[in-house]
């Protein structure tokens, strides 16, 4: 094995190890960081020989020291985007690692003079000392802070700059004081130079603000007293700077527990270790968002496996069907676990084959390392060779249990290449390899045939992809003729791509159907016929693609096949029940159908169709009972539901229809799919000191209560008001022990003048009553940025407002 015997190559490997370690650190992959020590221990076990182990450990220590020294500089130059300096750090670090490898080699040769027993004792002691030294060094470094400096000096506009720190060791319902030293500068004394937010984080990871102060409020004192909440598990301290020509420098921050006087030093930024790396280490937690997501993937994967246990779903099965099984709405084309992905796509049989392959690898490692050692040739060199290859192969499989390594083309190729080298190493140890080239003639021929076939196949697919991309570009330019030619070419060269087929079907449909004088005519029978065939083929290729079903539904509706179109639309929801846009499309289609039936006097059909729109929140509510994170209606779907509700109640009343045609907003209080006590798309703002509670009454009104000490507010969805237009706001209200000065109704705009209507001192009564408020919009508002807001002042008594039938409509 020439590679192992060549000492020059060994030194080059040491240099490359520096680059490898630096790369691992700056990938910020917590999974890799956790696996590195496990993999290293695995390598040590496989090496077995004391001299080789000492050499590997010393090389690792030497390279690790160079890497630790390079981290601050490398991070600094990356942050400052200094390319030349980055390459210089890599070059110098590599050279230093190579130089140290020569020192290690000399030292190892010296150690070989000692017996293995003495070497084991001395080596173990040395490693313990090194570990203690490194631990002490890291401990010291982690206590050297870099002052927080947040500056907008010289900025052209106000810009948020912030730094934060999450503190774990805090007690609930406890008084604390935050102390710190500060330097600040503010050109305008009325503008604060810095602001400090302290937020409580509970077990559900919900964040609640405890205190918010700026330097003007703090005056000259750098002490912030606060009390944690009953459910506080952690606190998050955030320091912010915002205004032009302001600057703050904070250091020596301490958190003092007022109960036991315990002081904890708070370091927001470290001097020698990049803060980004420290935060990634601190966030290694089985309860963080990344881990939660993976556990959700695995849980949903088992649902798929349960339905397809033997042969699986086929290639690409997870990405095709996971929408039907997901516990909440997420987007992930991979399970982030290779074994589970294989299990899903090839079933239990496929998983057993994979397990058998790994079992064979482990058996051969065992056979080489612990058995038949007397039969091995060139033991030391091959032991090192096979140990490194074994570790590399097993580490790839190990990391693939928490990520999607093998879905990247290069990774399985690397694994097979390493496996081939591993087999060569094993064979070299036990058998004499026959170098007679005649025996390899058929292998060469088969390999050449496979390469040629693969090349032709992939070239064909690439032509299809290129044609498809060009077709889309031509379509965006409204060049339908060129787009048609390119889509046909894409379908021809890539017959397995369902999207190209559906795109071509849509294009055939639009080009072959003409509208003239209210009449539909078919200008090209062949294209019209092929459109439906291509549509069906696309659905056969991807039977779980929600978007394809939606496109197919549109094609069938345009052909006048309403029942088939509606059925396809329902299938699009069935294969992806958590995608809110699917419900929007259904609401849009059913609402337009209902309008069409009403215009044609088909009232029974109209009622049935509009009721389907109102059934959407009912269906979504039932779905939310079975998933981890609820979904909610979006604003467009909510608007269709509001209008459908109004039509169902009033379509026989001509005056009401006139109001409908001028209607901008109409509430529908029943739509609370996530059961948070508010209609979907409405928002509850619980500012500091307020405690707004919302829920439904027996007659489906919205009950609003504030048992806090200050004003709270809720707002509706956004809608569009025209500039310089007169409107009427109608609200059905009932009051229970509310003083008229404690309830305000606003119509607000996010653009232009903020307040369009402010209605105070509303004389509400205990029974429902409709109140009308007329207002005219300002001339500076723009589309889709207006909303209604209800403000209620806090009161510990049992007082509340009931809101129903909120409407805004234009008036002449």
């Amino acid at each position: 094995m020439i590679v192992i015997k060549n000492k020059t190559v060994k030194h080059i490997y040491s240099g490359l190890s520096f680059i490898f370690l630096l790369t691992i650190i700056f990938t910020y992959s917590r999974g890799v960081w956790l696996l590195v020590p496990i993999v290293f221990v695995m390598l040590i076990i496989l090496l077995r020989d004391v001299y080789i182990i000492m050499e590997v450990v010393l090389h690792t220590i030497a390279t690790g020291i160079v890497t630790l020294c390079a981290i601050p500089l490398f991070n600094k130059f990356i942050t400052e985007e200094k390319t030349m300096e980055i390459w210089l750090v890599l070059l110098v670090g590599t050279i230093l690692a190579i130089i140290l490898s020569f020192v290690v080699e000399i030292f190892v040769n010296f150690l070989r003079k000692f017996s293995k027993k003495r070497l084991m004792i001395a080596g173990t002691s040395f490693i313990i000392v090194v570990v203690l030294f490194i631990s002490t060094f890291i401990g010291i470094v982690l206590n050297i802070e870099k002052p927080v400096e947040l500056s907008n000096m010289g900025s052209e506009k106000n810009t948020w700059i912030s730094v934060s720190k999450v503190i774990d060791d805090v007690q609930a319902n406890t008084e604390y004081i935050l102390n710190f030293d500060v330097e600040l500068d503010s050109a305008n004394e009325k503008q604060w130079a810095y602001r400090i937010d302290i937020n409580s984080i509970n077990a559900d990871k919900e964040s609640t603000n405890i205190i918010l102060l700026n330097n003007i409020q703090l005056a000259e004192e750098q002490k912030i007293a606060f009390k944690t909440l009953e459910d506080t598990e952690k606190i998050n301290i955030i320091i912010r700077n915002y205004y032009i020509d302001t600057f703050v420098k904070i250091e020596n921050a301490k958190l003092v527990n007022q109960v036991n006087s315990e002081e904890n030093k708070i370091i927001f930024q470290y001097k020698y270790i990049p803060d980004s790396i420290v935060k990634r280490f601190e966030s290694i937690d089985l309860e963080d968002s990344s881990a939660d997501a993976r556990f959700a993937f695995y849980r949903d994967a088992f649902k798929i496996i349960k339905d397809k246990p033997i042969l699986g779903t086929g290639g690409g099965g997870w990405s095709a069907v996971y929408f039907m099984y997901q516990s909440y709405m997420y987007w992930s084309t991979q399970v982030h676990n290779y074994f589970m992905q294989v299990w899903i796509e090839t079933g239990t049989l496929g998983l057993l084959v994979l397990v058998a392959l790994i079992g064979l690898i482990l058996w051969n490692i065992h056979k080489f390392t612990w058995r038949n050692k007397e039969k091995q040739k060139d033991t030391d060199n091959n032991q090192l060779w096979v140990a490194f290859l074994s570790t590399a192969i097993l580490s790839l499989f190990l990391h693939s249990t928490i990520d999607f390594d093998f879905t990247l083309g290069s990774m399985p190729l690397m694994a097979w290449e390493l496996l081939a080298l591993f087999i060569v190493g094993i064979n070299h140890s036990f058998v004499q390899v026959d170098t007679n080239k005649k025996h390899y003639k058929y292998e060469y021929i088969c390999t050449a045939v496979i390469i040629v076939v693969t090349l032709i196949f992939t070239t064909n697919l690439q032509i299809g992809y290129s044609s498809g991309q060009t077709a889309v570009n031509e379509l965006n330019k409204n060049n339908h003729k060129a787009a048609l030619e390119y889509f046909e070419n894409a379908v021809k060269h890539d017959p397995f791509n369902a999207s190209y087929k559906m795109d071509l079907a849509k294009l055939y449909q639009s080009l072959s159907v003409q509208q003239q004088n209210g009449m539909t005519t078919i200008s090209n029978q062949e294209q019209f016929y092929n459109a439906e065939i291509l549509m069906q083929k696309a659905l056969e290729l991807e039977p779980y693609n929600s978007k394809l079903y939606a496109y197919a539904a549109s094609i069938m509706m345009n052909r006048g096949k309403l029942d088939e179109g509606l059925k396809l639309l329902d299938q699009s929801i069935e294969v992806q029940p958590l995608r809110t846009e699917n419900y929007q499309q259904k609401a849009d289609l059913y609402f337009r159908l209902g309008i069409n039936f009403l215009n044609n006097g088909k009232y029974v059909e109209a009622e049935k169709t509009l009721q389907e729109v109102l059934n959407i929140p009912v269906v979504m509510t039932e779905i939310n009972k079975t998933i981890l994170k609820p979904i909610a209606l979006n604003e467009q779907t909510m608007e269709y539901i509001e209008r459908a509700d109004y039509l169902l109640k009033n379509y026989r009343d001509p005056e009401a229809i006139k109001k409908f045609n001028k209607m901008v907003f109409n509430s529908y209080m029943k739509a609370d799919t996530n059961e948070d006590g508010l209609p979907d798309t409405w928002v509850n703002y619980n500012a500091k000191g307020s405690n707004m509670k919302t829920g439904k009454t027996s007659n489906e009104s919205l009950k609003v209560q504030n048992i806090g000490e200050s004003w709270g507010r809720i707002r509706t969805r956004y809608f569009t008001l025209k500039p310089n237009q007169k409107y009427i706001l109608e609200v059905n209200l009932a009051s229970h022990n509310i003083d008229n000065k404690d309830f305000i109704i606003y119509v607000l705009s996010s653009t232009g003048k903020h307040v369009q209507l402010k209605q105070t001192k509303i004389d509400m009564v205990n029974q429902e009553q409709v109140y009308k408020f007329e207002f005219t919009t300002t001339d500076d508002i723009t589309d889709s940025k207006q909303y209604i807001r209800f403000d209620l002042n806090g009161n510990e008594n049992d007082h509340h407002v009931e809101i129903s039938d909120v409407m805004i409509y234009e008036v002449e």
Side-chain angles (χ1 to χ4, degrees), residues 139-159:
I140 294 171
V141 169
L142 286 175
N143 277 285
I144 302 175
E145 71 171 317
K146 175 184 176 183
V148 174
E149 295 185 7
L150 306 177
S151 174
N152 263 306
M153 289 293 184
S155 297
E156 296 180 357
K157 62 178 182 179
N158 298 330
T159 304

Side-chain angles (χ1 to χ4, degrees), residues 39-210:
V39 170
F40 187 73
V41 170
M42 185 192 307
L43 173 63
I44 296 301
I45 293 171
L46 292 173
L47 287 172
R48 298 187 68 204
D49 184 87
V50 174
Y51 298 117
I52 297 176
I53 290 173
M54 284 299 300
E55 184 173 4
V56 168
V57 169
L58 289 171
H59 274 292
T60 303
I61 292 172
T63 306
I65 291 171
V66 176
T67 305
L68 287 173
C69 295
I71 287 173
L73 284 173
F74 193 75
N75 182 72
K76 179 178 183 291
F77 295 141
I78 286 178
T79 305
E80 296 172 357
E81 298 183 352
K82 294 182 177 180
T83 306
M84 291 300 298
E85 285 81 354
I86 291 171
W87 282 108
L88 185 61
V89 169
L90 287 173
L91 179 62
V92 172
T94 302
I95 293 171
L96 285 175
I98 291 172
I99 292 171
L100 285 177
S101 71
F102 283 99
V103 177
V104 168
E105 184 180 25
I106 294 169
F107 185 57
V108 168
N109 289 333
F110 170 75
L111 292 176
R112 286 183 180 275
K113 298 176 182 179
F114 297 93
S115 68
K116 289 187 177 182
K117 184 177 180 180
R118 290 183 178 180
L119 193 57
M120 285 180 66
I121 296 171
T124 304
S125 303
F126 174 74
I127 290 171
I128 292 172
V129 170
V130 169
V131 170
L132 289 174
F133 172 77
I134 293 175
S135 301
T136 304
F137 175 76
I138 292 175
I140 294 171
V141 169
L142 286 175
N143 277 285
I144 302 175
E145 71 171 317
K146 175 184 176 183
V148 174
E149 295 185 7
L150 306 177
S151 174
N152 263 306
M153 289 293 184
S155 297
E156 296 180 357
K157 62 178 182 179
N158 298 330
T159 304
W160 284 109
I161 308 171
S162 66
V163 65
S164 64
K165 183 73 173 182
V166 175
I167 312 296
D168 293 316
D169 300 326
V170 293
Q171 299 174 0
N173 197 28
T174 303
E175 297 279 354
Y176 283 91
I177 290 180
L178 175 66
N179 294 321
F180 53 91
D181 297 332
V182 62
E183 295 178 24
L184 60 90
D185 188 8
S186 177
N188 186 340
E189 295 300 328
K190 294 181 180 180
Q191 295 178 170
W192 47 264
Y194 71 94
R195 191 180 89 183
I196 292 185
D197 299 60
I198 302 178
N199 297 326
S200 167
I201 302 173
N202 63 18
D204 296 324
K205 302 176 186 175
E206 296 172 336
S207 181
T208 304
N209 182 257
I210 300 175

Side-chain angles (χ1 to χ4, degrees), residues 49 83 114 158 183 260-261 398 412 417 636 682 691 717:
D49 184 87
T83 306
F114 297 93
N158 298 330
E183 295 178 24
N260 55 23
S261 299
L398 190 60
E417 289 165 359
Q636 293 81 1
W682 289 42
N691 191 358
R717 67 171 177 83

Side-chain angles (χ1 to χ4, degrees), residues 748-800:
L748 302 172
S749 177
S750 298
T751 60
K753 187 176 180 181
H754 186 50
V755 179
Q756 301 294 309
L757 167 69
K758 179 180 180 181
Q759 190 63 46
T760 60
K761 297 182 179 180
I762 305 168
D763 294 323
M764 293 181 290
V765 295
N766 195 34
Q767 295 180 337
E768 288 188 358
Q769 181 174 318
V770 177
Y771 299 84
K772 294 185 178 182
F773 312 106
E774 187 177 293
F775 66 98
T776 301
T777 55
T778 56
D779 60 0
D780 55 356
I781 64 173
T782 56
D783 291 349
S784 304
K785 289 296 182 182
Q786 290 75 52
Y787 56 95
I788 306 166
R789 197 180 80 193
F790 301 95
D791 288 18
L792 180 61
N793 200 5
N795 192 318
E796 293 183 358
N797 298 325
D798 183 21
H799 78 156
H800 66 268

Side-chain angles (χ1 to χ4, degrees), residues 289-317:
S289 58
S290 178
D292 283 346
R294 278 170 165 75
F295 288 139
F297 299 163
Y298 304 158
R299 183 167 44 246
D300 296 340
F302 277 118
K303 297 177 189 175
I304 301 172
I305 292 165
K306 184 179 178 182
D307 283 353
K308 305 280 185 181
I310 307 301
L311 298 176
T313 59

Side-chain angles (χ1 to χ4, degrees), residues 163 178-180 182 192 194-199 209-215 217-218 222-224 226 236-241 248 250 268:
V163 65
L178 175 66
N179 294 321
F180 53 91
V182 62
W192 47 264
Y194 71 94
R195 191 180 89 183
I196 292 185
D197 299 60
I198 302 178
N199 297 326
N209 182 257
I210 300 175
I211 200 162
L212 187 158
L213 294 169
N214 59 46
N215 61 281
Q217 294 167 314
L218 288 168
Q222 287 81 54
K223 290 184 179 181
I224 300 177
F226 65 95
N236 186 20
I237 303 173
I238 309 170
I239 306 172
R240 306 179 195 270
N241 172 267
V248 62
I250 290 178
F268 289 94

